[in-house]
Amino acid sequence: MQHDQDAKDRRGTRREGRSEKIRARTARNAIAAPYTIRRIGLVSLIDDESIAIIERNADRILDEIGMEFRGDAETLDLFRRHGARVDGERVRFDPGWCRDKIRTAPRVFTQHARNPARSIQVGGNAQVYCPSFGPPFVYDIERGRRYATIQDFRDITKIHHQLAAVNHSGGVVVEPVDLPVPVRHLHMAHAHLTLNDKPFMGAVTAPERARDTIEMCKLAMGAEFVENNCVLYSVVNTNAPLVMDETMLWALKEYAKAGQCTVVSPFVLGGAMSPVTIAGTLAQVLAEVLASVALIQLIRPGAPAAFGTFFSPISLKTGAPTFGTPEGTQFQMCAKTLADRLGLPFHSVGALTASKVPDAQAGYESQAQLMGAAMAGVNFIIHATGCLEGLLTTGYEKIVMDADRCSAMMRFVQGVDFSETAQAMDAFHEVPPGGHFLGAAHTQALFETALWMGDMSDNGTYEQWSAEGALWEHERAALKVRKLLQDYEAPQMDIAVRESLDDFVARRTREIEGETA
Amino acid sequence: MQHDQDAKDRRGTRREGRSEKIRARTARNAIAAPYTIRRIGLVSLIDDESIAIIERNADRILDEIGMEFRGDAETLDLFRRHGARVDGERVRFDPGWCRDKIRTAPRVFTQHARNPARSIQVGGNAQVYCPSFGPPFVYDIERGRRYATIQDFRDITKIHHQLAAVNHSGGVVVEPVDLPVPVRHLHMAHAHLTLNDKPFMGAVTAPERARDTIEMCKLAMGAEFVENNCVLYSVVNTNAPLVMDETMLWALKEYAKAGQCTVVSPFVLGGAMSPVTIAGTLAQVLAEVLASVALIQLIRPGAPAAFGTFFSPISLKTGAPTFGTPEGTQFQMCAKTLADRLGLPFHSVGALTASKVPDAQAGYESQAQLMGAAMAGVNFIIHATGCLEGLLTTGYEKIVMDADRCSAMMRFVQGVDFSETAQAMDAFHEVPPGGHFLGAAHTQALFETALWMGDMSDNGTYEQWSAEGALWEHERAALKVRKLLQDYEAPQMDIAVRESLDDFVARRTREIEGETA
């Protein structure tokens, strides 16, 4: 990083001379819309006959083997009263039963952000890009890998607030391991609500934590509003194969009762937690989603829900999860088809990588996963930014590198302009064979908007790149991270609201510490 | 690279203990077929109405503006005699004229390799992955960037010979700048024919160099065979907009007369050499291909040809070409549709990047371009391995990194297995909810074949990766390059054939030196 200061100085000088161009570019690249509408077709990887087979197999799994819902008598009773076959904690379902129950789930819904301009559509042709969820470690090229703290959580939330290609503030963007587990959710929700004004995710680690998160939303957005609208989007993982444990079950119940969105996302390491084949895993995942979303609709008909997937084939070499594989994308594309058939929004993974560092492996794998997700038509792309080490680590540089690729994907899925202006027939009469289009009126008129332009790739000459310090992308990304943290300005918030959130966190911390003391 | 030796030692130890597994894996991943058959659908980015518009615009461009064919009276005369409107070097075409002439071009053809097991299909649902073409520089992490030599050319050809995910030996994999220009083609063809037994490309820099390459193929594969079969695949770039220069024209004529394949690939920097829009560029490229392939068919009806594209939007910041952009893939997918409509095989670009080094930018951009090409259904993917710096440099590490991703794409486009075995219904009865599939009979039976497994990504734990030297992907790639060069064994060749090739190069070198002395 010895070249940082030089590079920054040069950048400073250059910036003034080109401020006009850069302003124009910034305006052009700003994602005005809080989400992207996909206007291109899907890739067909599964034909009608195979769809019918997978759906029949899922029905058979639910009928013959069933799914276990653990540790909650109320759930088992609810299933029994509505006609499912309950045997201990194992619940079996007649073919078609689950499909019938989930008809009340909305095809499309809005998750409201504190800032209404940031509210997102979930489902239909909408596409939302959301940060990584869950890593206990953070990485940056200067300090390396270390346990994450609440300061990291806040810094990452500040970075995401400023990235136009990220539509969501996420959930556990990193685990703040310096805080006691029972109070972490309070500080995470506080950060999401005060440092970022995009929508965010609810805690799923205990029912009272879910309730706390809902209460904090009520303070920030009004109790009545929260009672009547979806303001939290929460991800519940099944314990594949065919189990939902007590913790996830309780979170699902809390959010469903409150009319908040619950995504049912079977977490599957292919070959270990599911069959080693895509066809087998699809049937299992469909079965788990059918039963779990049916439960949501039994608890509160009409509560928003989504069909989620997290599929990673395990490595033959190490038994570890792998990313950026052909099977990962194939699975996602097929699962999207199954979700469409159920009329549920589809949630799945974005820029995942097994790499420990922001190297070429991280680039190849993340781009493969992200492009697969975008082309699969995933409605809510989780883990779209920051993933390293298969979600054990969030990388600071990786966040801004991934976000640049998200913005490219947003542009890609919006399709091609075939308007008369785009056809450029006048330009051909202006520019002779062998001529140059740069000065043509058509080019000048469209230059600022016609092409996507990222901000992380170096496209200049070798000589210029060398003169600027010969920085690799992760080194340029480190400079951008520093700048984003320096330039950060908190989104506006009414002082009374802010104080009520501060007070809530303080009071609940005292109560929880009292309980656990 | 201080950890290399440690890492190698550890690898050595591990290798012996796991030789069985690794043998199985190698066998599984070896691409037995010399090309891949795509079995998945395409992404639709252009509807019927827009196709009709682009085709009409291309016809209008050819009719109203025309294309220039420079420096060759014979070509102009040929066009004139067949009814095109020739005015100086500008040739204009009535709507439909070119389309009518190209009907004789084959939809699918075979390019024969010296080793018949390596011969490729071009067109239809076949997909071929071919090295980068043209860079004057090479890069490796130890020595950095430098001018390429014939030794680099040979080493790169040896590496490609051993990579199962590369189907072709390519053409100018690097420019051997240590050799005089007039004899370079002899040494390049000699390397392709003796160090690699995959198909390769013909020289296009002068007509006598094209003839030399054809002669060398006759020595290696038999004169009669070469006269009656396609053994060379050569890429002719138009000088966009709407010009074909003398050099390219003569190469096109030589190969067409000899019944060898000529790909017409307009080289376009969008916004400079074509309009700044995809719709405008598509019409221009279609016009150039129509006129040029029509010429090939006038010279020799039935000569194999292909519709090629090289499209890179220029950067607003630097005016330089950009790669891995949404427009690059959008353009490619639309152009594939136009090629299908003409019944021509489609040739386009693979893992391109503007990055100077094998960093994350190289990974993101290359994967975006390569995955776009694979999903677009490109039949012949050129620049699939090794590109750095927008084809000014071939990177040694980049070759093996890209090849790993090619093998993933090959697997992806072959689609998903929905057979009864893949459905795994027995496994669900064997593994209870919450159980583990790893030991199931179904998993054990399919484990070696069910999942793609690359050899460049590190999927192990952080601790294991650290113990192995904490190598970034480009460092692991450098080790693989070294090993491939150490392990290289030349493909078999009859000693008389080899001597005839050596003699030909020696004789032609003397003649050329005599001419130029």
Side-chain angles (χ1 to χ4, degrees):
Chain A
M1 299 279 285
Q2 67 204 57
H3 304 295
D4 284 7
Q5 199 49 51
D6 280 6
K8 285 192 73 167
D9 291 345
R10 261 190 306 279
R11 260 150 229 216
T13 320
R14 225 172 46 195
R15 187 183 304 124
E16 279 166 42
R18 311 177 97 185
S19 59
E20 208 50 46
K21 268 200 174 172
I22 286 171
R23 246 200 304 283
R25 194 167 68 241
T26 307
R28 180 171 52 113
N29 278 345
I31 307 297
Y35 52 89
T36 303
I37 295 293
R38 181 177 53 75
R39 299 182 196 282
I40 64 171
L42 299 174
V43 192
S44 171
L45 290 190
I46 178 167
D47 62 16
D48 290 349
E49 192 191 344
S50 301
I51 292 170
I53 289 170
I54 298 301
E55 290 180 342
R56 195 183 58 227
N57 288 351
D59 275 353
R60 274 187 57 199
I61 291 170
L62 289 171
D63 184 28
E64 297 169 17
I65 293 142
M67 180 160 170
E68 287 190 10
F69 291 85
R70 293 185 179 164
D72 184 53
E74 193 181 74
T75 292
L76 298 171
D77 192 50
L78 190 63
F79 273 131
R80 190 181 295 111
R81 281 192 287 119
H82 283 85
R85 287 137 48 204
V86 179
D87 176 13
E89 292 185 321
R90 186 81 68 95
V91 188
R92 293 185 177 80
F93 306 90
D94 294 342
W97 186 93
C98 294
R99 216 173 290 272
D100 183 56
K101 294 293 172 282
I102 70 171
R103 281 187 219 286
T104 50
R107 297 183 82 87
V108 179
F109 61 89
T110 298
Q111 183 194 0
H112 294 272
R114 178 163 76 76
N115 175 352
R118 305 281 207 177
S119 296
I120 59 168
Q121 177 184 318
V122 180
N125 285 331
Q127 213 158 64
V128 168
Y129 293 74
C130 169
S132 283
F133 187 104
F137 299 104
V138 284
Y139 172 94
D140 66 71
I141 58 171
E142 211 167 302
R143 286 178 292 176
R145 178 187 189 254
R146 57 199 158 77
Y147 276 106
T149 64
I150 189 67
Q151 187 57 48
D152 289 308
F153 191 105
R154 289 176 185 141
D155 284 346
I156 288 166
T157 302
K158 290 176 181 179
I159 291 169
H160 283 131
H161 176 65
Q162 297 170 84
L163 295 173
V166 179
N167 305 127
H168 210 269
S169 192
V172 183
V173 293
V174 286
E175 273 290 348
V177 298
D178 56 336
L179 294 179
V181 170
V183 301
R184 280 183 197 168
H185 66 287
L186 299 169
H187 296 273
M188 292 194 278
H190 189 274
H192 283 307
L193 282 166
T194 59
L195 303 178
N196 195 317
D197 62 356
K198 298 175 186 181
F200 72 106
M201 291 182 167
V204 291
T205 47
E208 66 276 14
R209 294 177 199 158
R211 286 193 292 271
D212 283 341
T213 313
I214 294 169
E215 284 308 307
M216 291 174 75
C217 286
K218 287 181 178 173
L219 294 174
M221 302 165 75
E224 199 186 326
F225 187 83
V226 171
E227 273 154 24
N228 295 304
N229 290 285
C230 171
V231 301
L232 285 168
Y233 181 102
S234 306
V235 182
V236 161
N237 294 125
T238 63
N239 279 13
L242 298 167
V243 172
M244 183 169 289
D245 70 20
E246 196 174 337
T247 305
M248 287 294 167
L249 197 47
W250 287 359
L252 176 151
K253 284 171 62 179
E254 285 301 329
Y255 287 118
K257 278 181 201 165
Q260 300 303 314
C261 169
T262 314
V263 183
V264 177
S265 186
F267 177 88
V268 176
L269 303 182
M273 299 163 75
S274 76
V276 74
T277 53
I278 291 173
T281 305
L282 281 170
Q284 176 184 312
V285 164
L286 178 57
E288 294 180 7
V289 169
L290 278 168
S292 307
V293 175
L295 174 60
I296 294 167
Q297 297 304 310
L298 292 185
I299 293 167
R300 180 162 166 167
F307 186 140
T309 69
F310 185 115
F311 170 70
S312 163
I314 63 167
S315 162
L316 173 61
K317 281 190 264 191
T318 60
T322 63
F323 303 99
T325 66
E327 289 84 10
T329 299
Q330 287 172 332
F331 178 85
Q332 210 169 39
M333 289 179 166
C334 294
K336 161 69 173 167
T337 305
L338 299 176
D340 283 350
R341 298 255 309 163
L342 293 176
L344 290 175
F346 184 57
H347 159 117
S348 193
V349 299
L352 298 179
T353 180
S355 184
K356 286 76 188 164
V357 285
D359 66 349
Q361 177 185 342
Y364 285 111
E365 291 183 346
S366 299
Q367 180 69 36
Q369 291 269 171
L370 186 67
M371 193 158 172
M375 297 186 77
V378 178
N379 296 117
F380 191 103
I381 303 179
I382 193 169
H383 314 306
T385 56
C387 170
L388 288 175
E389 208 189 333
L391 291 172
L392 284 175
T393 299
T394 290
Y396 275 93
E397 296 87 5
K398 183 82 176 351
I399 290 172
V400 299
M401 286 166 25
D402 285 337
D404 198 45
R405 303 312 304 175
C406 289
S407 101
M409 288 299 102
M410 287 171 171
R411 181 88 178 216
F412 178 79
V413 299
Q414 292 180 65
V416 179
D417 179 5
F418 287 104
S419 67
E420 213 169 301
T421 302
Q423 291 172 44
M425 288 305 282
D426 288 347
F428 292 110
H429 286 278
E430 189 181 343
V431 179
H436 211 288
F437 283 88
L438 210 48
H442 180 266
T443 314
Q444 290 298 313
L446 296 182
F447 206 80
E448 293 291 327
T449 55
L451 300 172
W452 173 78
M453 196 64 57
D455 60 5
M456 286 310 306
S457 280
D458 185 290
N459 302 304
T461 61
Y462 181 84
E463 291 68 24
Q464 186 186 340
W465 173 78
S466 299
E468 288 179 4
L471 302 183
W472 291 39
E473 190 188 9
H474 58 271
E475 295 172 308
R476 298 192 298 273
L479 298 177
K480 177 160 180 179
V481 165
R482 197 185 300 171
K483 179 148 176 39
L484 286 170
L485 289 174
Q486 278 166 0
D487 292 354
Y488 173 77
E489 288 177 28
Q492 283 195 315
M493 177 174 261
D494 185 285
I495 185 73
V497 170
R498 171 61 192 248
E499 284 173 3
S500 71
L501 286 169
D502 295 351
D503 292 347
F504 183 87
V505 171
R507 176 173 65 78
R508 285 291 295 138
T509 300
R510 282 194 306 275
E511 289 172 4
I512 291 165
E513 283 171 358
E515 287 160 18
T516 56
Chain B
M1 299 277 286
Q2 66 202 60
H3 303 294
D4 285 7
Q5 200 46 51
D6 281 7
K8 286 193 72 166
D9 291 346
R10 259 190 307 278
R11 260 151 230 216
T13 320
R14 223 172 48 194
R15 187 182 303 124
E16 281 167 39
R18 312 179 97 187
S19 60
E20 208 49 45
K21 268 198 174 173
I22 286 171
R23 248 200 304 283
R25 193 166 70 241
T26 306
R28 178 169 54 112
N29 278 345
I31 306 299
Y35 52 89
T36 302
I37 295 292
R38 181 176 53 75
R39 298 181 197 283
I40 65 171
L42 299 174
V43 192
S44 171
L45 290 190
I46 178 167
D47 61 16
D48 290 347
E49 192 191 342
S50 301
I51 292 170
I53 288 171
I54 299 302
E55 290 181 341
R56 196 182 58 227
N57 289 351
D59 275 353
R60 276 188 55 199
I61 291 170
L62 289 171
D63 185 27
E64 297 169 15
I65 293 140
M67 181 159 170
E68 287 190 9
F69 290 84
R70 294 186 178 164
D72 185 52
E74 192 181 76
T75 292
L76 298 171
D77 191 51
L78 190 63
F79 273 132
R80 191 182 294 112
R81 281 192 287 120
H82 283 85
R85 288 137 47 205
V86 179
D87 175 12
E89 294 186 319
R90 186 80 68 94
V91 188
R92 293 186 177 80
F93 306 89
D94 293 343
W97 186 95
C98 294
R99 216 173 289 273
D100 183 55
K101 295 292 171 282
I102 71 172
R103 280 186 221 286
T104 50
R107 298 184 81 87
V108 178
F109 62 90
T110 298
Q111 183 194 357
H112 295 271
R114 178 164 74 77
N115 176 353
R118 306 281 206 177
S119 296
I120 59 167
Q121 177 183 318
V122 180
N125 285 330
Q127 213 157 65
V128 168
Y129 293 74
C130 169
S132 283
F133 187 104
F137 299 104
V138 285
Y139 172 94
D140 65 70
I141 57 172
E142 212 167 300
R143 288 177 292 176
R145 177 188 189 255
R146 57 200 158 78
Y147 275 105
T149 64
I150 189 66
Q151 187 57 48
D152 289 308
F153 191 105
R154 290 177 185 141
D155 284 346
I156 288 168
T157 302
K158 289 176 182 178
I159 291 170
H160 283 132
H161 176 65
Q162 297 171 82
L163 295 172
V166 180
N167 305 125
H168 211 270
S169 192
V172 183
V173 294
V174 287
E175 273 291 346
V177 298
D178 56 336
L179 294 179
V181 170
V183 301
R184 279 183 197 168
H185 66 288
L186 298 169
H187 296 272
M188 292 193 279
H190 189 274
H192 284 307
L193 282 167
T194 59
L195 302 176
N196 195 317
D197 62 356
K198 299 176 186 180
F200 74 105
M201 291 182 170
V204 291
T205 48
E208 65 277 13
R209 293 176 199 158
R211 286 193 294 270
D212 282 341
T213 314
I214 293 169
E215 284 308 307
M216 290 174 75
C217 286
K218 287 181 179 173
L219 294 174
M221 301 165 75
E224 197 186 328
F225 187 82
V226 170
E227 272 155 27
N228 295 304
N229 290 284
C230 170
V231 301
L232 285 169
Y233 181 102
S234 306
V235 182
V236 160
N237 294 126
T238 63
N239 279 13
L242 297 165
V243 172
M244 183 169 289
D245 69 22
E246 195 174 337
T247 305
M248 287 294 167
L249 196 47
W250 287 358
L252 176 150
K253 284 171 62 180
E254 285 300 330
Y255 288 117
K257 279 180 202 165
Q260 301 302 316
C261 169
T262 315
V263 182
V264 177
S265 186
F267 177 87
V268 176
L269 303 182
M273 299 164 74
S274 77
V276 75
T277 53
I278 291 172
T281 305
L282 281 170
Q284 175 184 312
V285 164
L286 178 57
E288 295 180 5
V289 169
L290 278 168
S292 307
V293 176
L295 174 59
I296 293 168
Q297 298 304 309
L298 292 185
I299 294 167
R300 179 163 167 166
F307 186 140
T309 69
F310 186 114
F311 170 69
S312 162
I314 63 167
S315 162
L316 171 62
K317 280 189 264 191
T318 60
T322 63
F323 303 98
T325 66
E327 289 83 9
T329 300
Q330 287 172 334
F331 178 85
Q332 209 169 40
M333 288 179 167
C334 294
K336 161 69 173 166
T337 304
L338 299 176
D340 283 349
R341 299 254 308 163
L342 292 176
L344 291 176
F346 185 56
H347 159 117
S348 193
V349 298
L352 297 180
T353 179
S355 184
K356 285 77 188 164
V357 284
D359 66 348
Q361 177 185 342
Y364 285 111
E365 292 183 347
S366 299
Q367 179 69 36
Q369 291 270 170
L370 186 68
M371 192 159 173
M375 296 186 77
V378 177
N379 296 117
F380 191 103
I381 303 178
I382 193 170
H383 315 307
T385 56
C387 170
L388 288 175
E389 208 188 336
L391 291 172
L392 284 175
T393 299
T394 289
Y396 275 92
E397 296 87 4
K398 182 81 178 352
I399 290 172
V400 298
M401 285 164 30
D402 285 339
D404 198 45
R405 304 310 305 174
C406 289
S407 102
M409 287 299 101
M410 287 172 171
R411 181 86 179 216
F412 178 78
V413 298
Q414 293 181 64
V416 179
D417 179 5
F418 287 106
S419 66
E420 212 169 303
T421 303
Q423 291 172 44
M425 289 304 283
D426 288 348
F428 292 110
H429 285 278
E430 188 181 343
V431 179
H436 209 288
F437 284 87
L438 209 47
H442 180 267
T443 313
Q444 290 297 313
L446 297 183
F447 207 79
E448 293 290 327
T449 55
L451 300 171
W452 172 79
M453 195 65 58
D455 60 5
M456 286 309 307
S457 281
D458 186 291
N459 302 304
T461 62
Y462 182 84
E463 290 69 23
Q464 187 187 340
W465 173 78
S466 300
E468 289 179 2
L471 302 183
W472 290 40
E473 189 188 10
H474 57 271
E475 295 171 307
R476 297 192 299 274
L479 298 178
K480 177 160 181 180
V481 165
R482 197 183 302 170
K483 179 149 176 38
L484 286 170
L485 289 174
Q486 279 166 1
D487 293 353
Y488 173 77
E489 289 177 28
Q492 285 194 314
M493 176 174 263
D494 185 284
I495 186 70
V497 170
R498 171 62 192 248
E499 283 173 3
S500 71
L501 287 168
D502 295 351
D503 291 347
F504 184 88
V505 171
R507 175 173 65 78
R508 286 291 295 139
T509 299
R510 282 193 306 276
E511 290 171 5
I512 292 166
E513 283 172 358
E515 287 159 19
T516 57

